[in-house]
Amino acid sequence: MTDWFAGLSPIAQALLASLFTWGMTAVGAAVVFFFKAVDRRLLDAALGFAAGVMIAASFWSLLAPSITLSEEMGLVKWWPPLVGFLAGAGAMRVADWLLPHLHLFAPVSQAEGLPTTWHRTALLVLAITLHNIPEGLAVGVAFGAVGGGYESATLGAAIALAVGIGLQNCPEGTAVSVPLRREGLSRAKSFYYGQMTAWVEPVAAVLGAAAVMVMRPILPYALAFAAGAMIFVVVEEVIPESQTGGHPDVATSGAIAGFAVMMVLDVALG
Protein backbone atom coordinates (compact mmCIF):
# COMPACT_ATOMS: atom_id res chain seq x y z
CA MET A 1 0.00 0.00 0.00
CA THR A 2 2.81 2.38 0.91
CA ASP A 3 4.71 1.59 -2.29
CA TRP A 4 1.54 2.08 -4.31
CA PHE A 5 0.96 5.52 -2.79
CA ALA A 6 4.60 6.51 -3.24
CA GLY A 7 4.36 5.61 -6.93
CA LEU A 8 1.51 8.05 -7.59
CA SER A 9 2.05 11.51 -8.99
CA PRO A 10 2.28 14.33 -6.41
CA ILE A 11 -1.05 15.69 -7.61
CA ALA A 12 -2.77 12.34 -7.08
CA GLN A 13 -1.10 12.03 -3.67
CA ALA A 14 -2.31 15.51 -2.72
CA LEU A 15 -5.84 14.66 -3.86
CA LEU A 16 -5.99 11.44 -1.86
CA ALA A 17 -4.46 13.08 1.22
CA SER A 18 -6.93 15.95 1.08
CA LEU A 19 -9.82 13.53 0.62
CA PHE A 20 -8.64 11.99 3.89
CA THR A 21 -8.70 15.40 5.61
CA TRP A 22 -12.20 15.98 4.24
CA GLY A 23 -13.23 12.53 5.47
CA MET A 24 -12.04 13.37 8.97
CA THR A 25 -14.19 16.48 8.88
CA ALA A 26 -17.14 14.30 7.93
CA VAL A 27 -16.38 11.94 10.82
CA GLY A 28 -16.47 14.87 13.22
CA ALA A 29 -19.65 16.24 11.72
CA ALA A 30 -21.30 12.81 12.09
CA VAL A 31 -21.31 13.29 15.87
CA VAL A 32 -24.54 15.19 15.30
CA PHE A 33 -26.32 11.91 14.56
CA PHE A 34 -25.68 10.81 18.13
CA PHE A 35 -25.71 14.03 20.17
CA LYS A 36 -27.71 17.23 19.86
CA ALA A 37 -25.26 19.08 22.08
CA VAL A 38 -21.65 18.61 23.15
CA ASP A 39 -20.17 19.94 26.38
CA ARG A 40 -18.58 23.31 25.67
CA ARG A 41 -15.44 22.21 27.50
CA LEU A 42 -14.92 19.50 24.89
CA LEU A 43 -15.47 21.94 22.04
CA ASP A 44 -13.01 24.43 23.55
CA ALA A 45 -10.43 21.69 24.06
CA ALA A 46 -10.97 20.48 20.49
CA LEU A 47 -10.60 23.97 19.03
CA GLY A 48 -7.48 24.48 21.13
CA PHE A 49 -6.13 21.17 19.81
CA ALA A 50 -6.81 22.33 16.24
CA ALA A 51 -4.95 25.58 16.91
CA GLY A 52 -1.95 23.72 18.30
CA VAL A 53 -1.79 21.39 15.31
CA MET A 54 -1.97 24.29 12.87
CA ILE A 55 0.74 26.28 14.65
CA ALA A 56 3.10 23.29 14.78
CA ALA A 57 2.38 22.37 11.15
CA SER A 58 3.05 25.94 10.07
CA PHE A 59 6.60 25.73 11.38
CA TRP A 60 7.67 22.08 11.24
CA SER A 61 5.96 21.20 7.94
CA LEU A 62 6.02 24.52 6.08
CA LEU A 63 8.33 27.28 7.33
CA ALA A 64 11.30 25.09 8.27
CA PRO A 65 11.29 23.34 4.83
CA SER A 66 10.90 26.74 3.17
CA ILE A 67 14.05 27.99 4.91
CA THR A 68 15.98 24.85 3.98
CA LEU A 69 14.80 24.89 0.36
CA SER A 70 15.69 28.57 0.01
CA GLU A 71 19.25 27.75 1.03
CA GLU A 72 19.39 24.71 -1.27
CA MET A 73 18.24 26.87 -4.18
CA GLY A 74 20.96 29.45 -3.53
CA LEU A 75 18.55 32.13 -2.29
CA VAL A 76 18.83 34.33 0.78
CA LYS A 77 17.44 31.75 3.16
CA TRP A 78 15.18 34.11 5.11
CA TRP A 79 13.77 36.08 2.19
CA PRO A 80 11.34 33.58 0.54
CA PRO A 81 9.95 32.48 3.93
CA LEU A 82 9.40 36.10 4.93
CA VAL A 83 7.78 37.16 1.65
CA GLY A 84 5.63 34.03 1.42
CA PHE A 85 4.54 34.20 5.06
CA LEU A 86 3.45 37.84 4.82
CA ALA A 87 1.75 37.22 1.47
CA GLY A 88 -0.22 34.29 2.89
CA ALA A 89 -1.36 36.25 5.92
CA GLY A 90 -2.20 39.22 3.72
CA ALA A 91 -4.26 37.11 1.32
CA MET A 92 -6.29 35.72 4.21
CA ARG A 93 -6.78 39.24 5.60
CA VAL A 94 -8.24 40.35 2.27
CA ALA A 95 -10.50 37.28 2.14
CA ASP A 96 -11.53 37.89 5.74
CA TRP A 97 -12.45 41.46 4.87
CA LEU A 98 -14.39 40.59 1.71
CA LEU A 99 -16.15 37.29 2.42
CA PRO A 100 -19.22 37.47 4.66
CA HIS A 101 -18.77 35.02 7.54
CA LEU A 102 -19.53 34.49 11.19
CA HIS A 103 -17.22 33.10 13.85
CA LEU A 104 -18.43 30.14 15.88
CA PHE A 105 -20.59 31.00 18.91
CA ALA A 106 -20.93 34.65 17.81
CA PRO A 107 -24.31 36.38 17.24
CA VAL A 108 -25.28 37.31 13.69
CA SER A 109 -24.79 40.97 14.57
CA GLN A 110 -21.04 40.27 14.73
CA ALA A 111 -20.79 38.90 11.19
CA GLU A 112 -17.66 40.01 9.36
CA GLY A 113 -16.94 40.74 5.72
CA LEU A 114 -19.07 42.72 3.32
CA PRO A 115 -22.63 43.41 4.51
CA THR A 116 -25.11 40.68 3.58
CA THR A 117 -28.53 39.30 4.41
CA TRP A 118 -27.33 35.71 4.33
CA HIS A 119 -28.65 33.30 6.94
CA ARG A 120 -26.56 32.42 9.99
CA THR A 121 -26.00 28.90 8.67
CA ALA A 122 -24.36 30.18 5.48
CA LEU A 123 -22.17 32.59 7.45
CA LEU A 124 -20.97 29.86 9.81
CA VAL A 125 -20.21 27.47 6.96
CA LEU A 126 -18.29 30.16 5.08
CA ALA A 127 -16.21 30.97 8.16
CA ILE A 128 -14.93 27.39 8.47
CA THR A 129 -14.60 27.02 4.70
CA LEU A 130 -12.42 30.12 4.64
CA HIS A 131 -9.91 28.66 7.05
CA ASN A 132 -9.93 25.25 5.36
CA ILE A 133 -8.46 26.80 2.21
CA PRO A 134 -4.93 27.22 3.61
CA GLU A 135 -5.09 23.73 5.11
CA GLY A 136 -5.79 22.19 1.72
CA LEU A 137 -3.17 24.41 0.12
CA ALA A 138 -0.59 23.33 2.70
CA VAL A 139 -1.21 19.65 1.95
CA GLY A 140 -0.94 20.22 -1.80
CA VAL A 141 2.25 22.27 -1.58
CA ALA A 142 3.84 19.67 0.71
CA PHE A 143 3.24 16.85 -1.78
CA GLY A 144 4.22 19.09 -4.68
CA ALA A 145 7.51 19.78 -2.90
CA VAL A 146 8.21 16.05 -2.75
CA GLY A 147 7.67 15.90 -6.50
CA GLY A 148 10.28 18.61 -6.91
CA GLY A 149 12.94 16.14 -5.84
CA TYR A 150 14.45 18.24 -3.07
CA GLU A 151 16.19 16.31 -0.32
CA SER A 152 14.54 18.32 2.46
CA ALA A 153 11.02 17.58 1.15
CA THR A 154 10.06 14.03 2.12
CA LEU A 155 6.96 11.96 1.54
CA GLY A 156 6.84 11.11 5.24
CA ALA A 157 6.69 14.79 6.18
CA ALA A 158 3.88 15.42 3.69
CA ILE A 159 1.93 12.45 5.03
CA ALA A 160 2.50 13.66 8.60
CA LEU A 161 1.07 17.06 7.65
CA ALA A 162 -2.02 15.45 6.11
CA VAL A 163 -2.54 13.24 9.17
CA GLY A 164 -2.18 16.21 11.52
CA ILE A 165 -4.62 18.35 9.58
CA GLY A 166 -7.02 15.43 9.39
CA LEU A 167 -6.89 15.00 13.16
CA GLN A 168 -7.73 18.63 13.79
CA ASN A 169 -10.43 18.64 11.11
CA CYS A 170 -12.41 16.07 13.06
CA PRO A 171 -13.31 18.39 15.98
CA GLU A 172 -13.86 21.24 13.54
CA GLY A 173 -16.58 19.22 11.84
CA THR A 174 -18.21 18.70 15.24
CA ALA A 175 -17.85 22.38 16.10
CA VAL A 176 -19.91 23.28 13.03
CA SER A 177 -22.56 20.55 12.91
CA VAL A 178 -23.52 20.51 16.61
CA PRO A 179 -24.31 24.24 16.89
CA LEU A 180 -26.37 24.01 13.70
CA ARG A 181 -28.32 21.08 15.15
CA ARG A 182 -28.87 23.03 18.35
CA GLU A 183 -30.32 25.88 16.30
CA GLY A 184 -33.01 23.59 14.90
CA LEU A 185 -31.58 22.12 11.70
CA SER A 186 -32.16 18.43 11.09
CA ARG A 187 -29.39 15.96 11.83
CA ALA A 188 -28.90 15.32 8.11
CA LYS A 189 -28.63 19.01 7.24
CA SER A 190 -26.33 19.71 10.18
CA PHE A 191 -24.05 16.88 9.06
CA TYR A 192 -24.20 18.02 5.43
CA TYR A 193 -23.15 21.57 6.23
CA GLY A 194 -20.52 20.40 8.70
CA GLN A 195 -18.69 18.18 6.23
CA MET A 196 -19.26 20.61 3.35
CA THR A 197 -16.85 23.08 4.94
CA ALA A 198 -13.95 20.81 3.91
CA TRP A 199 -14.96 20.39 0.27
CA VAL A 200 -12.56 23.17 -0.59
CA GLU A 201 -9.55 21.24 0.72
CA PRO A 202 -9.16 18.77 -2.20
CA VAL A 203 -9.51 21.66 -4.65
CA ALA A 204 -6.90 23.78 -2.87
CA ALA A 205 -4.59 20.77 -2.47
CA VAL A 206 -4.62 19.89 -6.17
CA LEU A 207 -4.09 23.52 -7.18
CA GLY A 208 -1.24 23.90 -4.69
CA ALA A 209 0.53 20.73 -5.84
CA ALA A 210 0.11 21.61 -9.51
CA ALA A 211 1.35 25.17 -9.02
CA VAL A 212 4.63 24.22 -7.34
CA MET A 213 5.29 21.45 -9.87
CA VAL A 214 4.78 23.76 -12.83
CA MET A 215 6.65 26.68 -11.26
CA ARG A 216 9.31 25.06 -9.07
CA PRO A 217 11.05 28.36 -8.20
CA ILE A 218 7.99 29.44 -6.20
CA LEU A 219 8.17 26.40 -3.91
CA PRO A 220 9.80 28.03 -0.84
CA TYR A 221 7.44 30.98 -1.23
CA ALA A 222 4.43 28.67 -1.54
CA LEU A 223 5.34 26.72 1.60
CA ALA A 224 5.65 29.94 3.59
CA PHE A 225 2.46 31.31 2.00
CA ALA A 226 0.50 28.35 3.35
CA ALA A 227 2.11 28.85 6.77
CA GLY A 228 1.20 32.54 6.86
CA ALA A 229 -2.38 31.78 5.86
CA MET A 230 -2.72 29.15 8.59
CA ILE A 231 -1.21 31.34 11.30
CA PHE A 232 -3.61 34.13 10.35
CA VAL A 233 -6.55 31.76 10.73
CA VAL A 234 -5.29 30.48 14.08
CA VAL A 235 -4.84 33.97 15.54
CA GLU A 236 -7.93 35.50 13.94
CA GLU A 237 -10.41 32.69 14.49
CA VAL A 238 -9.45 29.42 16.12
CA ILE A 239 -7.76 30.64 19.31
CA PRO A 240 -10.33 33.39 20.04
CA GLU A 241 -13.18 30.93 19.48
CA SER A 242 -11.60 28.41 21.85
CA GLN A 243 -11.28 31.05 24.57
CA THR A 244 -14.81 32.46 24.57
CA GLY A 245 -16.53 29.57 26.35
CA GLY A 246 -15.18 30.34 29.81
CA HIS A 247 -12.67 27.46 29.80
CA PRO A 248 -9.37 29.10 28.82
CA ASP A 249 -7.21 26.58 30.67
CA VAL A 250 -8.93 23.67 28.91
CA ALA A 251 -8.50 25.35 25.52
CA THR A 252 -4.86 26.15 26.22
CA SER A 253 -4.18 22.57 27.31
CA GLY A 254 -5.76 21.40 24.06
CA ALA A 255 -3.47 23.72 22.09
CA ILE A 256 -0.38 22.38 23.86
CA ALA A 257 -1.50 18.80 23.16
CA GLY A 258 -2.18 19.59 19.50
CA PHE A 259 1.22 21.21 19.04
CA ALA A 260 2.95 18.25 20.67
CA VAL A 261 1.08 15.70 18.52
CA MET A 262 1.88 17.53 15.28
CA MET A 263 5.51 18.02 16.25
CA VAL A 264 5.93 14.32 17.00
CA LEU A 265 4.21 13.33 13.75
CA ASP A 266 6.44 15.57 11.67
CA VAL A 267 9.68 14.59 13.38
CA ALA A 268 8.86 10.88 13.49
CA LEU A 269 7.57 10.58 9.92
CA GLY A 270 9.62 13.32 8.32
Side-chain angles (χ1 to χ4, degrees):
M1 185 69 175
T2 303
D3 291 340
W4 170 80
F5 184 79
L8 297 175
S9 71
I11 293 177
Q13 291 171 344
L15 176 61
L16 290 176
S18 57
L19 287 174
F20 163 75
T21 63
W22 162 78
M24 292 298 289
T25 305
V27 169
V31 168
V32 79
F33 288 112
F34 307 98
F35 304 98
K36 187 173 183 178
V38 174
D39 189 284
R40 183 60 192 269
R41 286 177 182 269
L42 291 177
L43 286 179
D44 289 347
L47 288 170
F49 181 87
V53 167
M54 293 172 75
I55 293 171
S58 295
F59 175 74
W60 294 98
S61 301
L62 299 170
L63 280 176
S66 174
I67 295 169
T68 303
L69 283 170
S70 297
E71 195 168 20
E72 287 180 12
M73 296 169 70
L75 305 171
V76 178
K77 64 180 181 180
W78 56 266
W79 180 247
L82 175 64
V83 172
F85 184 85
L86 294 177
M92 290 305 296
R93 177 65 187 95
V94 172
D96 186 72
W97 176 64
L98 291 175
L99 186 67
H101 62 283
L102 181 66
H103 290 190
L104 291 172
F105 317 120
V108 176
S109 60
Q110 294 181 14
E112 299 181 0
L114 297 178
T116 181
T117 57
W118 291 351
H119 190 271
R120 176 183 176 84
T121 299
L123 294 172
L124 282 172
V125 169
L126 280 173
I128 304 300
T129 301
L130 178 64
H131 89 228
N132 278 337
I133 293 174
E135 294 175 7
L137 181 64
V139 171
V141 170
F143 281 99
V146 177
Y150 293 100
E151 184 178 349
S152 56
T154 68
L155 182 61
I159 291 173
L161 176 62
V163 170
I165 288 179
L167 288 175
Q168 63 93 29
N169 272 2
C170 189
E172 284 185 357
T174 303
V176 177
S177 65
V178 169
L180 292 178
R181 173 61 178 156
R182 196 165 53 239
E183 290 181 11
L185 270 69
S186 68
R187 286 185 173 87
K189 283 189 175 180
S190 298
F191 167 76
Y192 174 78
Y193 288 125
Q195 58 83 37
M196 188 177 72
T197 59
W199 285 1
V200 71
E201 290 194 8
V203 176
V206 168
L207 291 177
V212 299
M213 290 187 67
V214 172
M215 299 175 285
R216 290 177 62 181
I218 72 167
L219 179 53
Y221 297 93
L223 287 164
F225 183 96
M230 286 216 291
I231 291 295
F232 179 92
V233 167
V234 170
V235 177
E236 165 72 12
E237 295 186 25
V238 184
I239 290 178
E241 289 165 358
S242 73
Q243 298 285 327
T244 59
H247 311 108
D249 292 341
V250 172
T252 301
S253 297
I256 297 298
F259 188 99
V261 168
M262 186 65 232
M263 179 175 65
V264 170
L265 281 173
D266 194 273
V267 174
L269 297 179

